[in-house]
Amino acid sequence: MSAPAKASGRLFTVGLVTAWYSSNIGVLLLNKYLLSNYGFRYPIFLTMCHMTACSVLSYVAIAWMKVVPMQTVRSRIQFMKIAALSLVFCGSVVSGNISLRYLPVSFNQAVGATTPFFTAVFAYLMTLKREAWITYVTLIPVVTGVIIASGGEPSFHLLGFIICVGATAARALKTVLQGILLSSEGEKLNSMNLLLYMAPIAVILLLPATLFMETNVVGITLALARDDISIMWLLLFNSALAYFVNLTNFLVTKHTSALTLQVLGNAKGAVAVVISIMIFRNPVSLTGMLGYSLTVIGVILYSEAKKRNKT
């Protein structure tokens, strides 16, 4: 490969990673701003907006722009499996958004970093798959770090913490379920096609929940828009950003190595924490930061142990 082509490829990868970081951190901070600072206390409706955007933009990207080839659902059983995944996915996203009403982004990210712990637990319970003992040892600092961070968190909120743990567990459950339910070659879907089918199901699941639990949310949103039109632009931008999180994640996975993705993923949470503290100026303690750092170190060790056991 020529030097200009190499430089162009490197520049493309840097642009992708920047877009991935920006969309991930952007949607997280916007969710926090809307649900906590702005006072838009409708996390289920917000999640439904996200899923609606993902449904429309996924179709545009796959059917019209041919970003990836369209994969079809081949049976009713496969569709039911996707619906089950969508239900868990909804639970994870809604719970994560609700937790942002009560917890600062920095602590939310610390709890979210324990996903590998829940993944290992669910994998063992549901598939009886055992990892090497060293892999389980690396999970000790992951959990210990969050316990320390919880004790040192100035803005700790018990309900928010429980919901955030539930969201993290649901995220891990979806990963394990996806591996079990869509394991056969005929049923495997890439992440973009999976989103294409999961997002509309999520909208159908969230609509009655929104109508029942967040009464007259559409009327309230329109009334807010009459006083401040920026709420509509914030919701539209936030929803589009939620789709680009998935798109950029897919593209970064495709264009980088597993090791690069692992390093970038671990760094992303830390960057989100620093930016959120700078923007929202939520109080942090030395104990909380040490706890979060211990969790991140545990996640890195866990990833390294998993990689070594595969080789």
Side-chain angles (χ1 to χ4, degrees), residues 59-270:
Y59 186 79
V60 170
I62 296 172
W64 293 355
M65 296 175 68
K66 312 289 184 188
V67 172
V68 292
M70 184 177 280
Q71 296 170 284
T72 55
V73 175
R74 300 185 179 187
S75 66
R76 185 178 293 178
I77 292 171
Q78 188 187 9
F79 177 78
M80 293 308 292
K81 288 176 178 179
I82 294 169
L85 281 175
S86 188
L87 180 62
V88 177
F89 182 52
C90 280
S92 161
V93 178
V94 170
S95 301
N97 285 340
I98 292 172
S99 72
L100 285 171
R101 279 181 58 184
Y102 304 105
L103 300 175
V105 171
S106 51
F107 187 54
N108 179 281
Q109 288 293 287
V111 177
T114 61
T115 303
F117 168 76
F118 290 104
T119 304
V121 169
F122 285 129
Y124 178 73
L125 291 175
M126 298 171 76
T127 66
L128 298 179
K129 180 189 173 187
R130 290 192 179 187
E131 302 284 355
W133 66 270
I134 191 69
T135 306
Y136 291 116
V137 170
T138 61
L139 291 171
I140 295 171
V142 172
V143 178
T144 306
V146 168
I147 293 169
I148 293 170
S150 302
E153 175 54 52
S155 309
F156 183 82
H157 189 285
L158 183 59
L159 177 62
F161 175 70
I162 292 168
I163 293 169
C164 192
V165 169
T168 306
R171 201 177 307 128
L173 177 61
K174 180 198 166 267
T175 302
V176 176
L177 271 177
Q178 189 173 324
I180 297 168
L181 297 179
L182 302 177
S183 57
S184 69
E185 282 305 315
E187 290 185 333
K188 277 184 181 174
L189 298 171
N190 63 46
S191 60
M192 295 307 295
N193 274 277
L194 186 59
L195 184 67
L196 173 69
Y197 295 113
M198 278 203 314
I201 297 169
V203 174
I204 293 165
L205 292 170
L206 290 167
L207 183 59
T210 303
L211 295 173
F212 179 70
M213 299 173 74
E214 297 177 340
T215 313
N216 196 31
V217 63
V218 175
I220 292 166
T221 305
L222 291 172
L224 279 171
R226 279 194 287 273
D227 295 330
D228 180 15
I229 193 64
S230 68
I231 183 67
M232 299 303 289
W233 292 113
L234 284 171
L235 286 172
L236 284 169
F237 180 63
N238 191 25
S239 300
L241 213 52
Y243 170 72
F244 283 103
V245 167
N246 293 278
L247 177 63
T248 53
N249 187 64
F250 172 79
L251 293 172
V252 168
T253 305
K254 185 179 175 184
H255 290 280
T256 62
S257 66
L259 177 63
T260 305
L261 190 69
Q262 180 184 309
V263 172
L264 290 171
N266 290 329
K268 180 162 58 67

